[in-house]
Amino acid sequence: MITVPRIRRLDIALLLGLLGLALWSQPGRSESFSEKLTRQLNANAQREALNSLSRGFAVDEAAIKATLPDGADRRMVLRTRASLYEKVADFERAEADFSELVALSRNDPAMYLDRGYFYLRRHRFADALADFATGARIEPRKPVYPYAIGRVHAAMGAHDRAIESYNDAIRLDWQDGRSLLARAEAKINLERYDEAKADYNRALRAALRDRNDRFFAFLGRGYAALVTEEWEAAVADFDRALELDEKAFSAIVWRGYANERRGRIDLAIDDYERAVSYDPSDANSRSSLQRLRSK
């Protein structure tokens, strides 16, 4: 029998590289020569700025602003530069820019949210909690702040406290799919599987727009079904998860286990073979495959 690991869903902050910002995506319409030239010059400036950052050099605000669309204000400049500093692991300069953003807009809760997530990514939990709490005081009717507080508690392993924060977020917006998913994850970690399945169901009914969120909803609900020995339901959810990410290793292995337990040895072998092809070093998958082939 294979060991079924616990699901872990991590909030991964997408650091905006200069060349990856949606604002700078190439337009679909045909461009004039001057537009093409401007875009090329901006791309060159972006590469130069990123190269300077990666060498540990400071980049002045004018250099960043030159790469941004017309009308970009200082807050956009600082936010962009802070993200770039963080991307190249210059955390001191990144924090300085995030803090300057807060100083410029002390009544703008979004600035506290940005810096709070920076602190969370740096595992500075007390600082993150302080910023998220400040944002919540300024904008008490937005669920993003209690949700963020819950993410800090979850990162600290305090899943009961995380659930309390997610409850606050859901009271503000009962269809907040992200908070429902996070609460389900916390309940998985507390082995409250039936409650977790109920939250996954609610999240999926909330019409999750993000593909990644839908993937984790099916994966998490499938895992809850797996540990409660609902094999058919588990396979169905892992099928849906794999439609969204066909190389999701956990979904493949867990589906193999569920197929084995429901007597579909042929499908279990297929899943374990697929898992081994993706990760030949995984001892559990290789052992399960050898065991089933020997029957």
Side-chain angles (χ1 to χ4, degrees):
M1 181 180 294
I2 67 171
T3 300
V4 183
R6 288 189 178 185
I7 182 174
R8 298 288 182 183
R9 181 175 183 267
L10 302 178
D11 275 347
I12 301 175
L14 299 177
L15 302 177
L16 299 177
L18 279 168
L19 299 178
L21 284 173
L23 288 171
W24 300 322
S25 59
Q26 296 185 17
R29 63 179 177 81
S30 60
E31 297 175 288
S32 67
F33 174 78
S34 62
E35 287 173 323
K36 289 180 180 177
L37 179 60
T38 299
R39 179 166 54 80
Q40 184 59 52
L41 290 173
N42 282 347
N44 292 341
Q46 292 155 18
R47 282 193 292 272
E48 285 300 316
L50 194 55
N51 287 338
S52 295
L53 286 165
S54 65
R55 293 194 298 269
F57 298 153
V59 174
D60 63 31
E61 294 181 30
I64 296 294
K65 188 170 185 177
T67 72
L68 295 173
D70 291 340
D73 62 11
R74 188 167 182 240
R75 294 197 310 175
M76 183 180 289
V77 171
L78 289 171
R79 180 179 285 174
T80 301
R81 190 172 66 175
S83 296
L84 290 167
Y85 278 138
E86 186 178 359
K87 183 175 181 179
V88 298
D90 191 340
F91 301 119
E92 184 176 348
R93 286 192 175 112
E95 181 178 2
D97 277 351
F98 281 123
S99 294
E100 180 66 15
L101 279 166
V102 170
L104 285 172
S105 308
R106 291 201 176 275
N107 292 321
D108 185 345
M111 300 300 102
Y112 293 96
L113 197 68
D114 285 346
R115 190 174 66 176
Y117 273 113
F118 167 76
Y119 287 142
L120 176 56
R121 292 189 293 271
R122 300 300 304 142
H123 293 180
R124 290 171 55 179
F125 300 129
D127 291 328
L129 285 172
D131 272 352
F132 294 148
T134 300
R137 285 194 296 272
I138 297 171
E139 202 167 29
R141 295 186 179 182
K142 286 290 184 71
V144 293
Y145 303 103
Y147 167 82
I149 291 170
R151 298 315 295 161
V152 179
H153 290 311
M156 296 170 67
H159 299 294
D160 282 317
R161 296 192 67 183
I163 287 173
E164 292 174 4
S165 294
Y166 301 142
N167 289 343
D168 291 339
I170 292 164
R171 275 191 287 270
L172 292 169
D173 180 359
W174 65 275
Q175 288 187 309
D176 182 9
R178 183 172 57 172
S179 294
L180 288 164
L181 279 181
R183 190 172 70 176
E185 172 202 274
K187 290 174 179 177
I188 288 283
N189 280 288
L190 294 172
E191 300 183 0
R192 292 159 55 178
Y193 300 116
D194 288 335
E195 294 178 42
K197 282 185 283 186
D199 275 345
Y200 284 125
N201 289 339
R202 283 185 61 182
L204 287 165
R205 286 197 299 270
L208 296 170
R209 291 184 294 273
D210 185 84
R211 181 184 182 92
N212 199 48
D213 285 342
R214 293 197 304 276
F215 166 79
F216 277 109
F218 288 119
L219 184 69
R221 191 173 68 177
Y223 178 83
L226 186 72
V227 296
T228 55
E229 301 187 356
E230 300 171 58
W231 313 122
E232 300 291 339
V235 168
D237 275 336
F238 295 142
D239 284 345
R240 297 293 300 275
L242 287 164
E243 288 173 6
L244 295 165
D245 182 356
E246 64 180 11
K247 294 186 178 181
F249 185 80
S250 292
I252 295 167
V253 173
W254 294 342
R255 187 177 67 179
Y257 180 69
N259 276 323
E260 180 181 350
R261 293 301 302 272
R262 70 182 182 136
R264 291 301 308 269
I265 303 303
D266 55 333
L267 296 179
I269 288 174
D270 288 344
D271 280 333
Y272 291 141
E273 285 178 342
R274 186 172 168 187
V276 169
S277 72
Y278 288 152
D279 184 3
S281 67
D282 185 69
N284 283 330
S285 297
R286 286 190 288 104
S287 174
S288 296
L289 182 58
Q290 291 169 0
R291 174 171 47 77
L292 292 184
R293 282 175 171 171
S294 67
K295 287 185 176 181

